Amino acid sequence: ARAFFERALRMFEQQRYREALGALLAARRLVPSPEIDYNLAVTSEKLGLGSDAIDYYRVYLLTVREPEERKFVKKKIRQLKGLKGTARGR
């Protein structure tokens, strides 16, 4: 799982988001973790997969205890929901 996660980080840094997503999903199948869920959310967001990003942020939110982090994640979810509504209105 660590190897897949590290590969995903390298792919993300190179803006190879589709490959990063695949590596993160492989890592998550082996060892689910909040860190992977968060990175899946961010990578999905970069790929324009708003619904997927929202789902991963929600899963991540289940594990977040720090108030500022919870506030940040909830704001991201609201923003992504707003973007979905905007896209439908076009």
Side-chain angles (χ1 to χ4, degrees):
R2 175 60 51 191
F4 281 120
F5 185 73
E6 289 173 1
R7 174 178 164 70
L9 294 180
R10 285 193 306 277
M11 295 299 102
F12 189 90
E13 288 172 1
Q14 296 171 10
Q15 298 180 355
R16 295 164 60 183
Y17 303 122
R18 183 79 47 203
E19 292 171 69
L21 185 67
L24 287 166
L25 289 170
R28 188 175 193 243
R29 279 191 294 275
L30 295 171
V31 181
S33 81
E35 185 178 20
I36 292 172
D37 291 328
Y38 178 80
N39 282 281
L40 279 165
V42 173
T43 302
S44 295
E45 193 175 351
K46 291 284 189 183
L47 287 167
L49 305 172
S51 293
D52 290 346
I54 289 169
D55 290 343
Y56 290 124
Y57 277 126
R58 284 182 174 153
V59 171
Y60 175 68
L61 192 58
L62 295 173
T63 64
V64 176
R65 300 288 179 247
E66 183 183 320
E68 286 302 312
E69 182 70 5
R70 290 187 63 78
K71 184 178 174 182
F72 170 78
V73 173
K74 287 179 180 181
K75 181 178 178 182
K76 291 297 287 183
I77 291 170
R78 282 193 307 276
Q79 288 172 341
L80 288 166
K81 283 182 177 180
L83 289 175
K84 283 174 48 178
T86 302
R88 271 185 262 146
R90 289 186 188 177

